Structures are given as structure tokens and as C-alpha cells.
Amino acid sequence: MTWVLEAIRQSPEILLFLSLAIGFWIGRFQFGRFQLGGVAGSLLVAVLFSQLGVSIDNGVKAVLFALFIYAVGFESGPQFFKSLGRQSLKEIAMAAVLAVTGLVTVVVLARLFGLDKGLAAGVAAGGLTQSAIIGTAGSALAKLGLPPDELQRLQANVAIGYAVTYIFGSFGAIIICVNVLPKFMGRDIREDAVKAETAMSAGMIVPGAGEQLAAPEVVGRLYRAGPGAGSTVAEIEALAPDGMAVTVERIKRDGQIIPAQADLKLHATDIVLLAGRRAAVMAARQALGDEVLSSSGMDMVMVTRDVLITGAGYLGKTVAQIRTGIAADIRHGIVVLGLKRDGRPLPMEPGTVIRAGDVAVLFGTGNDIQRAAHSVGTVIVPSDKTDWIYHGLGLAVGLIIGLAVLRIGSIPLTLGSGGGALLSGLLFGWYRTRRMSLGNMPSGASTLLRDLGLAGFVAVVGLQSGLQAVDTIRTSGLSIFLIGVAVTIVPLLITMLFGRYVLRYDNAAVFAGALSGSRSANPAFGEVLDKAGNSVPTVPFAVTYALANVFLTLLGPLVVAFA
């Protein structure tokens, strides 16, 4: 076994990936309605592995967390900036209530159990998982005019209190946000996330990965011309209801494919391929004969493409104006499936005004879409490649922002690498909606960054802090640990009650995102995001997380002053 331990010391990343593998395996098990989840599982396994005494570089933790939080911000940027305003007052109140209840809980417990100022500050930093409190509390202790030995002892106690309580600080937030909150509300995070996404999608059903509508909106059907003999292609296409389009894509006559020109008259034996919205196809087929199940050579490949609207003839115009003013040769063969703004579906109503950055979802043949795009704007070609020029710059900008320090008196305030990466992700995600040719990130790549980044970050925390935490508990008893449990749980429960009964949160996914952000509980948010299956919890999380980084950082000097 000696050679195994030596190998691990030379390559400590082995323990990191083992923690992920075993942690996610453990996280799958359910105990009634309780499920640990991969993030919490990785944390517990990492604490066990930390007993081997193997150190892992702190830079690994910073990089992994930056990847996670940047990907979260990038996905949510458009919706985040759209949501800012009076509607964010609930999130501001959530973050403030948690910070105040956290401070009161720490001060009351410190006085009840005789904790010195150093231990009290360490318990606040660990129990509330806000590492910045260590720095602000240490600075506040240095200003008390204490003898050097006493100052050194108190500052060491800050680190001890932090190490003992941080593990449950992460784990406890997961339990409250992912397990207790939905049960308390009697609602399911996934169901409420789908409900909220549908509402944001203007009532449209947005299928997830591997899902499709049972009755698709756009269809293709083969018919014999039959009673439509003598009608022209243009006359058949004109039967579609107003605001819809149907296209005669292909005609087969006497075994030969012939061009579907507008003035071509149909023969009774012709086979006609109609494509368009279902209602339009059903209206046009009334003039034709029986449906044909298949016919050699009549299959066509149709594509759906997003097109960024940049044409001067479209911007500032309503949908109704565009429908009546667009040339027939541009419109032919194209079905407009929908509009998107800031990554969200936009109701395609007659009065909807097209703005710069809006995207039209077009359906048709590749040639038809390319022809239409010359007038409409730029085709956004789907790709499985990540634009690392754009995202590498985004991450670098975020980390630079995280280095900035604003001082309020003697209290240093900083977003840190995590807050900087989140802000940068939000900005770069928002900007991409204005320049869709930049910043491609496939959903699979984004999922990998989020899952690996968060779980890896938590595993590194466990590997770094677990040994010291267990040693301290073994030598000084469970009292500090149990006080940390209370500091973790009590503010979360009070804030949860406040959010439910005062702020009237009624959506479990949105509420869980806001609650995890108000405690800057990144592992809990990761599990909430996993349960939700979409990005609905991200916007409230982003608001409360940014505020929590400020509010909780300020607790360091306050704990030193009042404990």
C-alpha cells in the first residue's frame, strides 16, 4: 500500500476524480424521497480521502469553480439583465434577511457557549460558506490592539472554526434547498421549473433533449392532384390561411420529378409534396386527391435554421407589416416557425415589433433558407465546436474583475474569482444575443463545464479541509461542529419561512435558486440546477449570490465587534 500512497502523493488529481466517480455513484441512491446527489456525494467521499493527508493545489479549486460559475452566467445572461429592476426586490430582501439572521445566530451562539471572537468568526465563515469572512475578521481582530500572542491565537481560531464547520456548511445548504424546501412547499422543483420555463416561453412547449411533440407543427404530406387538376401551383399555395404558408415543394409526373413553378398546372395523376404548418397543409389538401404514403424520389431534406434579423426592411416593423410587405420570391418555400429575443421565444403576433438582435426560426430546404437569409440577415450555423476565443477572453475578464478590491473604511470588498466569473459570464452571455456569430457553446459543453466545475470544486474543498476538520473534532469534541450546524441551518430556515410567507414565493425552482444564492451556497445551487433540468433557478440565484458576496463579507467585522 505504500507505493499506492506514494503514487497518489505524486498525482493527487487521482483522488479528485475518484471522489467524483464514487461520489456520483453514492449520490444516485434514494432513501425515501431524500437523495444525496452527486455534488454532496463527492464532498463526503473527498472528506474520507482527505484522511490520507494528500495535498492538492488551491489553483485547481479556483479554476474549476470559475468554469462552473462562468457557464452558469453565460447561459442566463440575457434573462438576468431583462429581470433586473423592481422585480428583483424580492431577491434583495432574501439576501438581506439571511445575512442579518446569520449574524444574529452566530453572535447569540458565541455568547451562549463562550466562543472567543476568533472561533465565532471562523464558525460564521464556515457555517455560512463565505471564505471572505476569514479575511475581514482577521483584519478586524488586528485593529483591537491585542498583544501579539493573543492576536495570533484568535486568528488561528478563525481558521480552526472555518475548517470544522465548512463541510457541513456546504452539505447542510444542499439538504435545505434541495430536499427540505420542496417538501415544505409541497411542490416539485422539476415540475415548477418546467412551469416557469413555459410561462417565459409565452405559453409555448419547449421540448428538451431527446423530446419531440407528438403532433409536430410543421408537416410534409404527399397527395395525388386528383380534383386539383388544372389548378396552378400558386393557386394551391394560396389556399393556406392568412398568416400561414404552404409550399408545393416537389411534383412527380409520369415517374419524373419536374420543377414546381408557380404557373405550372397540375395533372390528375401528379403526386404533390406539400410542406408547411399543419393547418395550412390541411387547408390546401382539400383541393387535392388522396394521400400517398410514399413515392420514390419524393423525399426531401428540410432544415430548421436560426437567422439573426439584421435587414433594414425588417427592423422596427411589426410582424403584420412584414407579412404583407415581403416579396413572394423571398417568402416562397419558407415557414417561419417562431421568433426569439434574448434566447426566449417571442409571441409571433401581428403587432409584435422586430428589434435588433431578434432571431427568426426558419424552416425549409437549405437553398430556400439561404435565399431568404440574404434578405433577412445572417444564418446562425449550428456547430458542436465551442468558441474558445470568445469564452477564453470571457473567463480571463472575469478573473481580472475578481481581483478588484473596493474598500469601505477598513473593510475590503471583492467579488473574488467566482463573483468575477459570474459577472463576466452574464455580460458575455448577454452580448452574444447581439452578435450571434460569436461565442458558440453547445449545450453538451456547457453541461460539462457546470457539472465538472462544481463537483470538482467541492471535491477539492473536501480534500483540502477534511483532515483538519476531522482532527479538530476529534481533539476538541463536537461542540464547535454542532454550533456550525446551527449557524448553517437556522438562517436558511428563517429565510425560507420569510420567502414563503412574506415574499410569497410560490415556485419551488425559483425559490430554491434565490435561497441558495442568498447563502452563496454554490454546491446547493448546483444540485438545484440539476433537479430543475433547465436554467430557471439561475436568474434569482445570480441576483442573491451577488448581494450575498457583499452582505456576508461584511459579517466578519460585525461578528468580531458583537461576539
Short mmCIF file of all heavy atoms in Angstrom, two decimals, residues 232-294:
data_model
loop_
_atom_site.label_atom_id
_atom_site.label_comp_id
_atom_site.label_asym_id
_atom_site.label_seq_id
_atom_site.Cartn_x
_atom_site.Cartn_y
_atom_site.Cartn_z
N THR A 232 -53.08 25.78 -60.74
CA THR A 232 -51.64 26.05 -60.77
C THR A 232 -51.04 25.84 -59.38
O THR A 232 -51.76 25.80 -58.36
CB THR A 232 -51.36 27.49 -61.21
OG1 THR A 232 -51.88 28.40 -60.23
CG2 THR A 232 -51.98 27.78 -62.58
N VAL A 233 -49.74 25.74 -59.34
CA VAL A 233 -49.03 25.62 -58.06
C VAL A 233 -49.34 26.83 -57.17
O VAL A 233 -49.61 26.70 -55.97
CB VAL A 233 -47.51 25.49 -58.29
CG1 VAL A 233 -46.74 25.68 -56.98
CG2 VAL A 233 -47.18 24.15 -58.91
N ALA A 234 -49.35 28.02 -57.76
CA ALA A 234 -49.62 29.24 -56.99
C ALA A 234 -51.02 29.22 -56.40
O ALA A 234 -51.25 29.67 -55.27
CB ALA A 234 -49.44 30.47 -57.87
N GLU A 235 -52.01 28.67 -57.13
CA GLU A 235 -53.38 28.61 -56.64
C GLU A 235 -53.50 27.63 -55.46
O GLU A 235 -54.25 27.90 -54.51
CB GLU A 235 -54.32 28.20 -57.78
CG GLU A 235 -54.50 29.30 -58.81
CD GLU A 235 -55.25 28.83 -60.05
OE1 GLU A 235 -55.30 27.59 -60.30
OE2 GLU A 235 -55.79 29.67 -60.76
N ILE A 236 -52.79 26.52 -55.51
CA ILE A 236 -52.81 25.57 -54.39
C ILE A 236 -52.19 26.21 -53.15
O ILE A 236 -52.72 26.11 -52.04
CB ILE A 236 -52.06 24.27 -54.76
CG1 ILE A 236 -52.76 23.54 -55.92
CG2 ILE A 236 -51.93 23.35 -53.55
CD1 ILE A 236 -54.17 23.07 -55.59
N GLU A 237 -51.06 26.89 -53.35
CA GLU A 237 -50.38 27.52 -52.21
C GLU A 237 -51.21 28.66 -51.61
O GLU A 237 -51.11 28.95 -50.42
CB GLU A 237 -49.01 28.04 -52.64
CG GLU A 237 -48.03 26.93 -53.00
CD GLU A 237 -46.68 27.44 -53.45
OE1 GLU A 237 -46.57 28.63 -53.81
OE2 GLU A 237 -45.72 26.64 -53.44
N ALA A 238 -52.05 29.29 -52.44
CA ALA A 238 -52.86 30.42 -51.96
C ALA A 238 -54.00 29.97 -51.06
O ALA A 238 -54.68 30.81 -50.44
CB ALA A 238 -53.41 31.20 -53.15
N LEU A 239 -54.25 28.67 -50.96
CA LEU A 239 -55.34 28.16 -50.12
C LEU A 239 -55.00 28.19 -48.63
O LEU A 239 -55.87 27.97 -47.79
CB LEU A 239 -55.70 26.73 -50.53
CG LEU A 239 -56.27 26.57 -51.95
CD1 LEU A 239 -56.42 25.09 -52.29
CD2 LEU A 239 -57.61 27.29 -52.06
N ALA A 240 -53.74 28.45 -48.30
CA ALA A 240 -53.34 28.48 -46.89
C ALA A 240 -54.01 29.65 -46.17
O ALA A 240 -54.23 30.71 -46.77
CB ALA A 240 -51.82 28.61 -46.78
N PRO A 241 -54.38 29.48 -44.90
CA PRO A 241 -55.00 30.59 -44.14
C PRO A 241 -54.06 31.78 -44.05
O PRO A 241 -52.83 31.66 -44.21
CB PRO A 241 -55.24 29.97 -42.76
CG PRO A 241 -55.20 28.49 -42.97
CD PRO A 241 -54.26 28.25 -44.09
N ASP A 242 -54.63 32.96 -43.77
CA ASP A 242 -53.83 34.18 -43.63
C ASP A 242 -52.80 34.00 -42.53
O ASP A 242 -53.10 33.45 -41.46
CB ASP A 242 -54.73 35.37 -43.29
CG ASP A 242 -55.60 35.78 -44.47
OD1 ASP A 242 -55.26 35.38 -45.61
OD2 ASP A 242 -56.61 36.47 -44.25
N GLY A 243 -51.60 34.48 -42.79
CA GLY A 243 -50.54 34.40 -41.79
C GLY A 243 -49.80 33.09 -41.79
O GLY A 243 -48.86 32.91 -41.03
N MET A 244 -50.23 32.15 -42.63
CA MET A 244 -49.56 30.85 -42.72
C MET A 244 -49.05 30.66 -44.15
O MET A 244 -49.40 31.42 -45.06
CB MET A 244 -50.50 29.70 -42.34
CG MET A 244 -50.92 29.72 -40.90
SD MET A 244 -51.80 28.21 -40.44
CE MET A 244 -52.18 28.54 -38.74
N ALA A 245 -48.23 29.65 -44.31
CA ALA A 245 -47.69 29.37 -45.64
C ALA A 245 -47.65 27.88 -45.86
O ALA A 245 -47.37 27.10 -44.95
CB ALA A 245 -46.28 29.96 -45.77
N VAL A 246 -47.98 27.48 -47.10
CA VAL A 246 -47.82 26.10 -47.52
C VAL A 246 -47.08 26.14 -48.85
O VAL A 246 -47.28 27.05 -49.65
CB VAL A 246 -49.17 25.37 -47.63
CG1 VAL A 246 -50.00 25.94 -48.78
CG2 VAL A 246 -48.96 23.87 -47.83
N THR A 247 -46.20 25.19 -49.06
CA THR A 247 -45.37 25.20 -50.26
C THR A 247 -45.51 23.87 -51.01
O THR A 247 -45.46 22.80 -50.38
CB THR A 247 -43.89 25.41 -49.89
OG1 THR A 247 -43.76 26.62 -49.16
CG2 THR A 247 -43.02 25.47 -51.14
N VAL A 248 -45.69 23.95 -52.31
CA VAL A 248 -45.58 22.77 -53.16
C VAL A 248 -44.08 22.58 -53.42
O VAL A 248 -43.48 23.30 -54.22
CB VAL A 248 -46.35 22.94 -54.48
CG1 VAL A 248 -46.15 21.71 -55.37
CG2 VAL A 248 -47.82 23.16 -54.20
N GLU A 249 -43.49 21.68 -52.68
CA GLU A 249 -42.04 21.52 -52.73
C GLU A 249 -41.58 20.68 -53.93
O GLU A 249 -40.50 20.91 -54.47
CB GLU A 249 -41.53 20.86 -51.43
CG GLU A 249 -41.62 21.75 -50.20
CD GLU A 249 -40.57 22.85 -50.20
OE1 GLU A 249 -39.73 22.89 -51.12
OE2 GLU A 249 -40.61 23.68 -49.28
N ARG A 250 -42.39 19.72 -54.31
CA ARG A 250 -41.93 18.82 -55.37
C ARG A 250 -43.15 18.21 -56.07
O ARG A 250 -44.18 17.96 -55.44
CB ARG A 250 -41.04 17.72 -54.78
CG ARG A 250 -40.40 16.79 -55.79
CD ARG A 250 -39.28 15.98 -55.14
NE ARG A 250 -38.08 16.79 -54.94
CZ ARG A 250 -36.91 16.30 -54.52
NH1 ARG A 250 -36.79 15.02 -54.23
NH2 ARG A 250 -35.87 17.09 -54.37
N ILE A 251 -43.01 17.96 -57.37
CA ILE A 251 -44.08 17.34 -58.17
C ILE A 251 -43.49 16.19 -58.97
O ILE A 251 -42.40 16.32 -59.56
CB ILE A 251 -44.72 18.37 -59.13
CG1 ILE A 251 -45.37 19.51 -58.34
CG2 ILE A 251 -45.78 17.69 -60.03
CD1 ILE A 251 -45.85 20.65 -59.20
N LYS A 252 -44.21 15.08 -58.96
CA LYS A 252 -43.79 13.91 -59.74
C LYS A 252 -44.86 13.63 -60.80
O LYS A 252 -46.03 13.42 -60.47
CB LYS A 252 -43.62 12.70 -58.82
CG LYS A 252 -43.03 11.47 -59.50
CD LYS A 252 -42.82 10.37 -58.46
CE LYS A 252 -42.15 9.15 -59.07
NZ LYS A 252 -41.95 8.08 -58.07
N ARG A 253 -44.44 13.63 -62.07
CA ARG A 253 -45.37 13.41 -63.19
C ARG A 253 -44.80 12.34 -64.10
O ARG A 253 -43.67 12.45 -64.58
CB ARG A 253 -45.59 14.71 -63.96
CG ARG A 253 -46.48 14.60 -65.18
CD ARG A 253 -46.68 15.95 -65.82
NE ARG A 253 -47.41 16.87 -64.93
CZ ARG A 253 -47.58 18.17 -65.20
NH1 ARG A 253 -47.05 18.70 -66.30
NH2 ARG A 253 -48.24 18.93 -64.35
N ASP A 254 -45.59 11.27 -64.28
CA ASP A 254 -45.18 10.17 -65.15
C ASP A 254 -43.81 9.62 -64.75
O ASP A 254 -42.96 9.32 -65.61
CB ASP A 254 -45.16 10.61 -66.63
CG ASP A 254 -46.53 11.09 -67.10
OD1 ASP A 254 -47.54 10.53 -66.60
OD2 ASP A 254 -46.59 12.00 -67.95
N GLY A 255 -43.58 9.54 -63.45
CA GLY A 255 -42.34 8.97 -62.94
C GLY A 255 -41.17 9.92 -62.94
O GLY A 255 -40.07 9.54 -62.52
N GLN A 256 -41.36 11.17 -63.37
CA GLN A 256 -40.27 12.14 -63.43
C GLN A 256 -40.53 13.30 -62.47
O GLN A 256 -41.69 13.74 -62.32
CB GLN A 256 -40.12 12.69 -64.86
CG GLN A 256 -39.82 11.63 -65.92
CD GLN A 256 -38.46 10.99 -65.71
OE1 GLN A 256 -37.48 11.68 -65.39
NE2 GLN A 256 -38.39 9.67 -65.88
N ILE A 257 -39.46 13.79 -61.83
CA ILE A 257 -39.57 14.97 -60.97
C ILE A 257 -39.49 16.21 -61.84
O ILE A 257 -38.54 16.35 -62.63
CB ILE A 257 -38.46 14.99 -59.90
CG1 ILE A 257 -38.44 13.67 -59.11
CG2 ILE A 257 -38.66 16.18 -58.96
CD1 ILE A 257 -39.70 13.38 -58.35
N ILE A 258 -40.46 17.10 -61.71
CA ILE A 258 -40.46 18.32 -62.52
C ILE A 258 -40.45 19.53 -61.58
O ILE A 258 -40.91 19.46 -60.44
CB ILE A 258 -41.68 18.38 -63.46
CG1 ILE A 258 -42.99 18.38 -62.65
CG2 ILE A 258 -41.65 17.20 -64.43
CD1 ILE A 258 -44.23 18.55 -63.53
N PRO A 259 -39.93 20.67 -62.05
CA PRO A 259 -39.87 21.88 -61.22
C PRO A 259 -41.26 22.35 -60.81
O PRO A 259 -42.18 22.37 -61.63
CB PRO A 259 -39.17 22.91 -62.11
CG PRO A 259 -38.46 22.10 -63.14
CD PRO A 259 -39.29 20.89 -63.38
N ALA A 260 -41.40 22.74 -59.56
CA ALA A 260 -42.69 23.23 -59.03
C ALA A 260 -42.77 24.74 -59.23
O ALA A 260 -42.71 25.52 -58.28
CB ALA A 260 -42.83 22.86 -57.56
N GLN A 261 -42.96 25.16 -60.52
CA GLN A 261 -43.04 26.58 -60.83
C GLN A 261 -44.44 27.11 -60.54
O GLN A 261 -45.44 26.38 -60.62
CB GLN A 261 -42.68 26.82 -62.29
CG GLN A 261 -41.24 26.41 -62.61
CD GLN A 261 -40.91 26.52 -64.09
OE1 GLN A 261 -41.81 26.62 -64.92
NE2 GLN A 261 -39.62 26.48 -64.41
N ALA A 262 -44.51 28.39 -60.19
CA ALA A 262 -45.77 28.97 -59.73
C ALA A 262 -46.90 28.82 -60.75
O ALA A 262 -48.06 28.62 -60.37
CB ALA A 262 -45.56 30.44 -59.39
N ASP A 263 -46.59 28.92 -62.08
CA ASP A 263 -47.64 28.89 -63.09
C ASP A 263 -47.88 27.49 -63.66
O ASP A 263 -48.67 27.32 -64.60
CB ASP A 263 -47.30 29.85 -64.23
CG ASP A 263 -45.95 29.54 -64.87
OD1 ASP A 263 -45.23 28.66 -64.35
OD2 ASP A 263 -45.60 30.19 -65.87
N LEU A 264 -47.22 26.46 -63.09
CA LEU A 264 -47.40 25.10 -63.58
C LEU A 264 -48.78 24.57 -63.20
O LEU A 264 -49.18 24.64 -62.05
CB LEU A 264 -46.31 24.19 -62.99
CG LEU A 264 -46.41 22.70 -63.38
CD1 LEU A 264 -46.06 22.51 -64.85
CD2 LEU A 264 -45.49 21.86 -62.50
N LYS A 265 -49.51 24.03 -64.21
CA LYS A 265 -50.82 23.45 -63.96
C LYS A 265 -50.68 21.96 -63.66
O LYS A 265 -49.91 21.25 -64.30
CB LYS A 265 -51.73 23.66 -65.17
CG LYS A 265 -52.14 25.11 -65.37
CD LYS A 265 -53.19 25.24 -66.47
CE LYS A 265 -53.65 26.69 -66.59
NZ LYS A 265 -54.72 26.85 -67.62
N LEU A 266 -51.42 21.49 -62.67
CA LEU A 266 -51.34 20.11 -62.22
C LEU A 266 -52.16 19.19 -63.11
O LEU A 266 -53.21 19.59 -63.65
CB LEU A 266 -51.82 19.99 -60.77
CG LEU A 266 -51.05 20.78 -59.71
CD1 LEU A 266 -51.70 20.58 -58.34
CD2 LEU A 266 -49.60 20.38 -59.67
N HIS A 267 -51.66 17.94 -63.25
CA HIS A 267 -52.41 16.87 -63.91
C HIS A 267 -53.01 16.00 -62.82
O HIS A 267 -52.50 15.91 -61.70
CB HIS A 267 -51.50 16.04 -64.81
CG HIS A 267 -51.00 16.81 -66.00
ND1 HIS A 267 -50.18 16.24 -66.97
CD2 HIS A 267 -51.21 18.10 -66.40
CE1 HIS A 267 -49.90 17.13 -67.90
NE2 HIS A 267 -50.50 18.28 -67.57
N ALA A 268 -54.06 15.30 -63.15
CA ALA A 268 -54.78 14.49 -62.16
C ALA A 268 -53.90 13.42 -61.54
O ALA A 268 -54.09 13.05 -60.37
CB ALA A 268 -56.02 13.87 -62.80
N THR A 269 -52.95 12.87 -62.29
CA THR A 269 -52.10 11.79 -61.78
C THR A 269 -50.82 12.29 -61.11
O THR A 269 -50.01 11.48 -60.65
CB THR A 269 -51.73 10.83 -62.92
OG1 THR A 269 -51.07 11.57 -63.96
CG2 THR A 269 -52.98 10.14 -63.48
N ASP A 270 -50.61 13.59 -61.08
CA ASP A 270 -49.41 14.13 -60.44
C ASP A 270 -49.40 13.81 -58.94
O ASP A 270 -50.46 13.78 -58.29
CB ASP A 270 -49.35 15.66 -60.60
CG ASP A 270 -49.03 16.09 -62.02
OD1 ASP A 270 -48.67 15.22 -62.83
OD2 ASP A 270 -49.15 17.31 -62.31
N ILE A 271 -48.22 13.55 -58.43
CA ILE A 271 -48.03 13.40 -56.97
C ILE A 271 -47.38 14.69 -56.47
O ILE A 271 -46.34 15.11 -57.01
CB ILE A 271 -47.18 12.17 -56.63
CG1 ILE A 271 -47.91 10.90 -57.09
CG2 ILE A 271 -46.91 12.11 -55.13
CD1 ILE A 271 -47.11 9.64 -56.87
N VAL A 272 -48.00 15.28 -55.48
CA VAL A 272 -47.58 16.60 -54.99
C VAL A 272 -47.10 16.48 -53.55
O VAL A 272 -47.78 15.88 -52.71
CB VAL A 272 -48.76 17.60 -55.08
CG1 VAL A 272 -48.32 18.96 -54.55
CG2 VAL A 272 -49.27 17.70 -56.50
N LEU A 273 -45.94 17.06 -53.28
CA LEU A 273 -45.42 17.14 -51.90
C LEU A 273 -45.73 18.51 -51.34
O LEU A 273 -45.22 19.52 -51.82
CB LEU A 273 -43.91 16.89 -51.87
CG LEU A 273 -43.21 17.14 -50.52
CD1 LEU A 273 -43.76 16.21 -49.44
CD2 LEU A 273 -41.70 16.96 -50.65
N LEU A 274 -46.60 18.55 -50.32
CA LEU A 274 -46.92 19.79 -49.63
C LEU A 274 -46.14 19.85 -48.32
O LEU A 274 -46.05 18.85 -47.60
CB LEU A 274 -48.42 19.88 -49.31
CG LEU A 274 -49.41 20.01 -50.45
CD1 LEU A 274 -50.82 20.13 -49.89
CD2 LEU A 274 -49.08 21.21 -51.31
N ALA A 275 -45.61 21.02 -48.00
CA ALA A 275 -44.91 21.21 -46.73
C ALA A 275 -45.32 22.54 -46.12
O ALA A 275 -45.49 23.53 -46.84
CB ALA A 275 -43.40 21.16 -46.93
N GLY A 276 -45.50 22.56 -44.80
CA GLY A 276 -45.86 23.79 -44.12
C GLY A 276 -46.48 23.48 -42.77
O GLY A 276 -46.43 22.35 -42.29
N ARG A 277 -47.08 24.50 -42.14
CA ARG A 277 -47.78 24.27 -40.88
C ARG A 277 -48.95 23.33 -41.12
O ARG A 277 -49.57 23.34 -42.19
CB ARG A 277 -48.26 25.59 -40.29
CG ARG A 277 -47.13 26.53 -39.89
CD ARG A 277 -47.69 27.78 -39.24
NE ARG A 277 -46.63 28.72 -38.94
CZ ARG A 277 -45.88 28.68 -37.84
NH1 ARG A 277 -46.10 27.74 -36.93
NH2 ARG A 277 -44.92 29.56 -37.64
N ARG A 278 -49.28 22.55 -40.11
CA ARG A 278 -50.29 21.53 -40.28
C ARG A 278 -51.60 22.12 -40.77
O ARG A 278 -52.25 21.59 -41.68
CB ARG A 278 -50.52 20.79 -38.95
CG ARG A 278 -51.53 19.64 -39.08
CD ARG A 278 -51.84 18.96 -37.76
NE ARG A 278 -50.64 18.37 -37.18
CZ ARG A 278 -49.95 18.90 -36.19
NH1 ARG A 278 -50.33 20.06 -35.67
NH2 ARG A 278 -48.88 18.32 -35.71
N ALA A 279 -52.04 23.24 -40.17
CA ALA A 279 -53.31 23.84 -40.57
C ALA A 279 -53.28 24.27 -42.03
O ALA A 279 -54.27 24.14 -42.75
CB ALA A 279 -53.62 25.04 -39.68
N ALA A 280 -52.13 24.79 -42.49
CA ALA A 280 -52.02 25.23 -43.88
C ALA A 280 -52.04 24.04 -44.83
O ALA A 280 -52.67 24.09 -45.90
CB ALA A 280 -50.73 26.04 -44.06
N VAL A 281 -51.35 22.97 -44.46
CA VAL A 281 -51.33 21.77 -45.31
C VAL A 281 -52.74 21.17 -45.40
O VAL A 281 -53.21 20.78 -46.48
CB VAL A 281 -50.33 20.74 -44.76
CG1 VAL A 281 -50.48 19.39 -45.48
CG2 VAL A 281 -48.90 21.26 -44.92
N MET A 282 -53.45 21.12 -44.27
CA MET A 282 -54.80 20.55 -44.28
C MET A 282 -55.76 21.40 -45.10
O MET A 282 -56.68 20.88 -45.75
CB MET A 282 -55.32 20.43 -42.84
CG MET A 282 -54.52 19.44 -41.98
SD MET A 282 -54.39 17.79 -42.72
CE MET A 282 -56.10 17.27 -42.68
N ALA A 283 -55.56 22.72 -45.11
CA ALA A 283 -56.41 23.59 -45.91
C ALA A 283 -56.16 23.38 -47.41
O ALA A 283 -57.09 23.29 -48.21
CB ALA A 283 -56.18 25.06 -45.53
N ALA A 284 -54.87 23.28 -47.78
CA ALA A 284 -54.53 23.12 -49.20
C ALA A 284 -54.92 21.75 -49.72
O ALA A 284 -55.32 21.61 -50.89
CB ALA A 284 -53.03 23.37 -49.39
N ARG A 285 -54.85 20.72 -48.90
CA ARG A 285 -55.12 19.37 -49.38
C ARG A 285 -56.60 19.17 -49.72
O ARG A 285 -56.97 18.21 -50.39
CB ARG A 285 -54.67 18.33 -48.35
CG ARG A 285 -55.39 18.32 -47.02
CD ARG A 285 -56.55 17.37 -46.89
NE ARG A 285 -56.24 16.03 -47.33
CZ ARG A 285 -57.12 15.22 -47.89
NH1 ARG A 285 -58.36 15.64 -48.07
NH2 ARG A 285 -56.79 14.01 -48.25
N GLN A 286 -57.47 20.10 -49.28
CA GLN A 286 -58.89 19.98 -49.61
C GLN A 286 -59.13 20.05 -51.11
O GLN A 286 -60.14 19.54 -51.62
CB GLN A 286 -59.70 21.09 -48.91
CG GLN A 286 -59.60 21.10 -47.40
CD GLN A 286 -60.08 19.80 -46.77
OE1 GLN A 286 -61.08 19.23 -47.20
NE2 GLN A 286 -59.34 19.32 -45.78
N ALA A 287 -58.20 20.69 -51.81
CA ALA A 287 -58.34 20.82 -53.27
C ALA A 287 -57.68 19.66 -54.01
O ALA A 287 -57.74 19.61 -55.25
CB ALA A 287 -57.75 22.14 -53.74
N LEU A 288 -57.05 18.74 -53.28
CA LEU A 288 -56.30 17.65 -53.90
C LEU A 288 -56.99 16.32 -53.64
O LEU A 288 -58.03 16.24 -52.99
CB LEU A 288 -54.87 17.64 -53.37
CG LEU A 288 -54.06 18.92 -53.60
CD1 LEU A 288 -52.71 18.84 -52.90
CD2 LEU A 288 -53.87 19.19 -55.10
N GLY A 289 -56.35 15.25 -54.15
CA GLY A 289 -56.92 13.92 -54.02
C GLY A 289 -56.44 13.19 -52.79
O GLY A 289 -56.12 13.81 -51.76
N ASP A 290 -56.35 11.86 -52.91
CA ASP A 290 -55.99 11.02 -51.77
C ASP A 290 -54.53 11.21 -51.36
O ASP A 290 -53.67 11.54 -52.20
CB ASP A 290 -56.23 9.55 -52.12
CG ASP A 290 -57.71 9.26 -52.36
OD1 ASP A 290 -58.54 9.98 -51.79
OD2 ASP A 290 -58.00 8.31 -53.12
N GLU A 291 -54.26 10.93 -50.07
CA GLU A 291 -52.88 10.99 -49.59
C GLU A 291 -52.12 9.76 -50.03
O GLU A 291 -52.66 8.64 -50.07
CB GLU A 291 -52.85 11.10 -48.06
CG GLU A 291 -51.44 11.26 -47.50
CD GLU A 291 -51.42 11.59 -46.02
OE1 GLU A 291 -52.51 11.67 -45.40
OE2 GLU A 291 -50.31 11.75 -45.48
N VAL A 292 -50.87 9.95 -50.39
CA VAL A 292 -49.98 8.87 -50.81
C VAL A 292 -48.96 8.65 -49.70
O VAL A 292 -48.32 9.61 -49.23
CB VAL A 292 -49.27 9.23 -52.13
CG1 VAL A 292 -48.31 8.11 -52.54
CG2 VAL A 292 -50.29 9.49 -53.22
N LEU A 293 -48.80 7.41 -49.26
CA LEU A 293 -47.90 7.14 -48.14
C LEU A 293 -46.45 7.36 -48.51
O LEU A 293 -45.66 7.87 -47.72
CB LEU A 293 -48.12 5.73 -47.63
CG LEU A 293 -49.49 5.46 -46.99
CD1 LEU A 293 -49.58 4.01 -46.51
CD2 LEU A 293 -49.75 6.42 -45.83
N SER A 294 -46.05 6.97 -49.70
CA SER A 294 -44.66 7.15 -50.12
C SER A 294 -44.58 7.09 -51.63
O SER A 294 -45.46 6.52 -52.29
CB SER A 294 -43.75 6.07 -49.51
OG SER A 294 -44.10 4.79 -50.01
#
